[in-house]
Amino acid sequence: MKKLLLLAGTYCAVMSMISCGNKQQSQAASTTQAPAKDTSKPALLQAVRAVEGKLKTSPTLDAYTANLAISAYLDYAKHFPDDTLSAAFLFNAGGLASSTSQYPRAVTLYQNVTNKFPQSRLVPECLLVEGFIFDNDMHDTANARKKYNELIQKFPNDSLSIQARQAMKFLGKTPDEIGKMFEEQNKQKTKGHKKTQA
């Protein structure tokens, strides 16, 4: 019995020392956290430029590098939400998301540009690209039509409105159907051309 009590006492003492050691280690670990990230404008711009350099030198666009760039762009826009560069960075992030088949994310990024920077010269292009993504990549003709109409209504004199009007003619059509439409238009033009020559 004495042996059993001695073993139990030794076990408790050892466990107590171990838990105290672990507590001290966890306290030391919590006081030596990673240094805070530099979120100054120059540091964030440097991060953007570095990842843009990777994008330019890469022969193909891979999702990993694209997501690094998207993160750098979003980080800048988060810390400098009123800076006009943020609009351009959000637009670039949308393009990268779209290029890597992250279509819902791309639409969200373009919508951030139109919502946060309604006076930006990028808004018409955002609306056009959103419509294109909805139609061609997400097969959502209702939202595509909505974006094209928004572009036409808000920017009726913009050259992109002409493209939106053209795109609306082909909403929901397959490439074969579009090809047949063009063939029919060409036949009509050819008939009209022959009549004027006669």
Side-chain angles (χ1 to χ4, degrees):
M1 181 79 165
K2 272 185 174 180
K3 259 186 172 179
L4 188 59
L5 285 174
L6 185 61
L7 276 172
T10 306
Y11 176 77
C12 288
V14 169
M15 292 308 288
S16 175
M17 283 191 263
I18 290 173
S19 76
C20 286
N22 286 344
K23 191 174 187 180
Q24 288 173 347
Q25 286 177 351
S26 68
Q27 285 175 344
S30 68
T31 58
T32 58
Q33 294 174 355
K37 182 179 175 181
D38 185 356
T39 58
S40 67
K41 189 179 271 193
L44 293 174
L45 281 173
Q46 183 179 6
V48 165
R49 300 301 177 223
V51 77
E52 284 179 338
K54 283 183 182 180
L55 288 171
K56 288 178 184 172
T57 59
S58 177
T60 58
L61 179 63
D62 64 279
Y64 177 76
T65 307
N67 284 323
L68 282 178
I70 291 169
S71 293
Y73 289 140
L74 293 177
D75 208 17
Y76 184 92
K78 174 185 166 189
H79 288 90
F80 298 97
D82 298 327
D83 190 332
T84 55
L85 261 181
S86 293
F89 287 166
L90 289 170
F91 182 82
N92 291 348
L96 289 170
S98 177
S99 295
T100 53
S101 303
Q102 301 175 61
Y103 304 119
R105 187 178 192 190
V107 168
T108 299
L109 290 164
Y110 289 126
Q111 287 173 345
N112 284 340
V113 175
T114 59
N115 294 335
K116 294 178 182 179
F117 302 94
Q119 302 305 316
S120 173
R121 61 177 177 73
L122 296 169
V123 171
E125 194 168 350
C126 287
L127 293 170
L128 183 69
V129 174
E130 283 178 72
F132 182 83
I133 291 170
F134 276 126
D135 185 26
N136 295 298
D137 301 313
M138 298 173 76
H139 309 290
D140 182 346
T141 56
N143 274 318
R145 185 180 313 283
K146 184 177 169 185
K147 289 300 172 181
Y148 291 144
N149 277 325
E150 185 178 349
L151 170 58
I152 293 164
Q153 289 171 3
K154 287 184 177 179
F155 305 96
N157 299 322
D158 194 293
S159 63
L160 296 178
S161 290
I162 296 168
Q163 291 180 35
R165 283 184 190 93
Q166 290 297 322
M168 285 178 62
K169 291 178 184 177
F170 304 115
L171 276 176
K173 302 216 181 323
T174 66
D176 288 339
E177 292 171 325
I178 293 170
K180 287 178 184 176
M181 287 175 67
F182 279 119
E183 285 177 22
E184 192 60 37
Q185 286 176 353
N186 285 335
K187 285 180 185 177
Q188 296 297 326
K189 285 180 185 178
T190 305
K191 286 180 183 178
H193 183 69
K194 287 180 180 176
K195 286 182 181 177
T196 56
Q197 287 181 344

